[in-house]
Amino acid sequence: MTPEQMASIRAGNGITRPTPYHKTTPTQHVAGAPHSRAPWIFTTRSQASAVYFATHGGTRPANPIIEIDLSKIPKDRILDVSTAKKAAENLQTTSTRNAAAAHHKVLIFGEIPHGAIIFK
């Protein structure tokens, strides 16, 4: 999570993409499309992957990590690519399927409402 996203959460807001209807596909997002323009917000089902991404692979101090209650996000806004089977069904390339499954990725379209964020 970025410092800007954390500031938004502390202000009582959720996380919202500034251009949620940009046409970046899930495959493009997982492949590394510019995240500031992508409508997708990435999360993971893996604590180890959350730490990996929060520390930029262990090269920087950790950004904050939050937990997201996916049951509080509309199902049509969630794209679960956290397993090899689910990734194969939803992503176009072998490399993005492998990356998504390895990091247990879940993509959320557009926004994460404040009520779905769990503070620990």
Side-chain angles (χ1 to χ4, degrees):
M1 165 182 336
T2 66
E4 295 81 16
Q5 290 170 329
M6 193 65 203
S8 176
I9 292 167
R10 286 188 177 126
N13 302 311
I15 300 171
T16 303
R17 284 302 199 199
T19 54
Y21 299 104
H22 189 268
K23 303 238 187 266
T24 303
T25 67
T27 300
Q28 291 168 326
H29 184 73
V30 173
H35 295 291
S36 64
R37 294 180 45 215
W40 301 98
I41 303 166
F42 149 69
T43 190
T44 177
R45 295 185 184 277
S46 163
Q47 181 67 27
S49 287
V51 170
Y52 176 84
F53 286 107
T55 63
H56 301 272
T59 63
R60 299 184 193 165
N63 286 326
I65 297 173
I66 59 167
E67 185 175 339
I68 300 167
D69 182 348
L70 293 174
S71 73
K72 294 185 178 176
I73 297 173
K75 289 186 185 341
D76 66 344
R77 294 196 166 267
I78 297 172
L79 182 63
D80 188 343
V81 290
S82 63
T83 66
K85 182 178 187 283
K86 291 175 181 179
E89 293 169 355
N90 293 288
L91 300 174
Q92 302 297 316
T93 67
T94 301
S95 62
T96 57
R97 292 172 186 159
N98 291 342
H103 288 290
H104 309 280
K105 290 186 175 198
V106 176
L107 302 177
I108 301 167
F109 186 82
E111 70 176 321
I112 299 170
H114 189 268
I117 298 169
I118 301 168
F119 295 93
K120 293 194 172 201

